[in-house]
Amino acid sequence: MRITIHRGTNEIGGSCVEVEYNGTRLLLDAGTPLDDSPAALPADIDAYAGVLISHSHQDHYGLVERLPEDVPLYMGKVAWQFAQSLRLFTKTGDLLTHNPIPLEAGKTFRVGDISVTPYLADHSSPDAFGFLLEAGGRVVYYTGDFRAHGRKSKTFDYLCSRLPRKMDAILLEGTMMDRGNSAFASEREVEEGMVEAIRAESGIVCLNCSAQNIDRMVSAFRAAKRSGRILVVDIYTAWILRLAQQLSANIPDINWDGMRVLSHNRPAAGYYRNVKEHAEFFGGFLQDLYNSGNELWVQNLVDSPSKYLIKLSDYWLADILDRLPGISSTIIYSQWAGYLEEGTPQYNAKAASLKGRENSTFRLIHTSGHAVREDLMRLVGSVEPQTVIPLHTEHKNAYAEYFPNVHVLDDGEVFEL
Ligand SMILES: [Zn+2]
């Protein structure tokens, strides 16, 4: 077996890894770099037997739009629907015509001479997988992105107990090799932090987070409920939650008590256009929304700001707060703090502008989607791999301090097993 990390040995994101055996070539992830620097699929992508996408973050699937449609694509069904939804609502406004073969946890399949078993991962994006690859007597695990402190932390325990011992190599993501995990060590602590922040505010409470971070949406719903408030979302978020129902009936849905959808006035108009123009993609979603009785107007927020926890994009949160002058507010910022750092490639000026508003408290309540170093060590300690290969990290040379048998690769370098 031959492993080549085309991109990802020196950066967080842009993941693109090749595994080859006996002429069968697989590409694991096809991501765009997080700093938006130019990136391409391998030039001979037509020669690959398949492309496996671990989850619906763009630093893992962003290049799929350039993938020739006759190269087989494998991805979680809901993860693919999330990626398509993001295109419709916030990006290009069109759908990709690829037809991915859905991945299912524990269901082994063969691509040419390589056997693949997806393992469910605890990550900030749902329907996320790592891949166990077996060929020619060699066994390799590609972790994708994962953690052990989300709402699905049991999947991490499962991984530690079920992956084959003494496998030949593990390709180990190391986003957090040099980072602490903020003040909130787990998704449970995020929920507690939100409860505390909501209860301390008598005016309006706003939340800025990724709609596709389903663990976070569950935390927000639970925190709102425990604080006697109703969670308000936009139509995009309502749709994402509807898709996520396929994964678990415990994910809040637009029909639930304690949920409202901001479905009128300015924030909604653009969303309606997207839904109506792609009726076959959205099925009966709009009708369900009308039938739910959970529609809300902006005026409802203005009339009763203390009734709600309002989850909207940074743009619409700023707009709504501007319409409520003189009312006290708390803004819960629930994303990576790096987006707020001016002068970096990831800087988000609109999100940063939520900080320092008059009569407003800004609170950072977030936990990472990635495993802290102690949990990376737990996984390696359980699996006892013959070789640990760093990727999805800015600190590959630090691995040897914490793991045995580290083999550091550069982008494009071939590793023979
Ligand atoms: Zn990710």
Side-chain angles (χ1 to χ4, degrees), residues 98-113:
H98 299 72
N99 191 17
I101 300 155
L103 297 167
E104 285 180 56
K107 285 218 168 146
T108 303
F109 57 93
R110 285 187 77 84
V111 185
D113 285 338

Side-chain angles (χ1 to χ4, degrees), residues 54-60 123-125 144-146 173 369-370 392:
S54 61
H55 65 283
S56 67
H57 280 156
Q58 295 202 63
D59 60 324
H60 293 259
H123 187 40
S124 46
S125 181
D145 289 355
F146 74 102
E173 78 118 316
H370 302 275
H392 204 275

Side-chain angles (χ1 to χ4, degrees), residues 26-27 29-30 45 48-53 64 67 71-75:
L26 291 184
L27 196 66
D29 283 333
I45 188 67
Y48 283 71
V51 175
L52 277 59
I53 301 295
V64 161
L67 184 71
V71 178
L73 175 65
Y74 300 80
M75 190 170 175

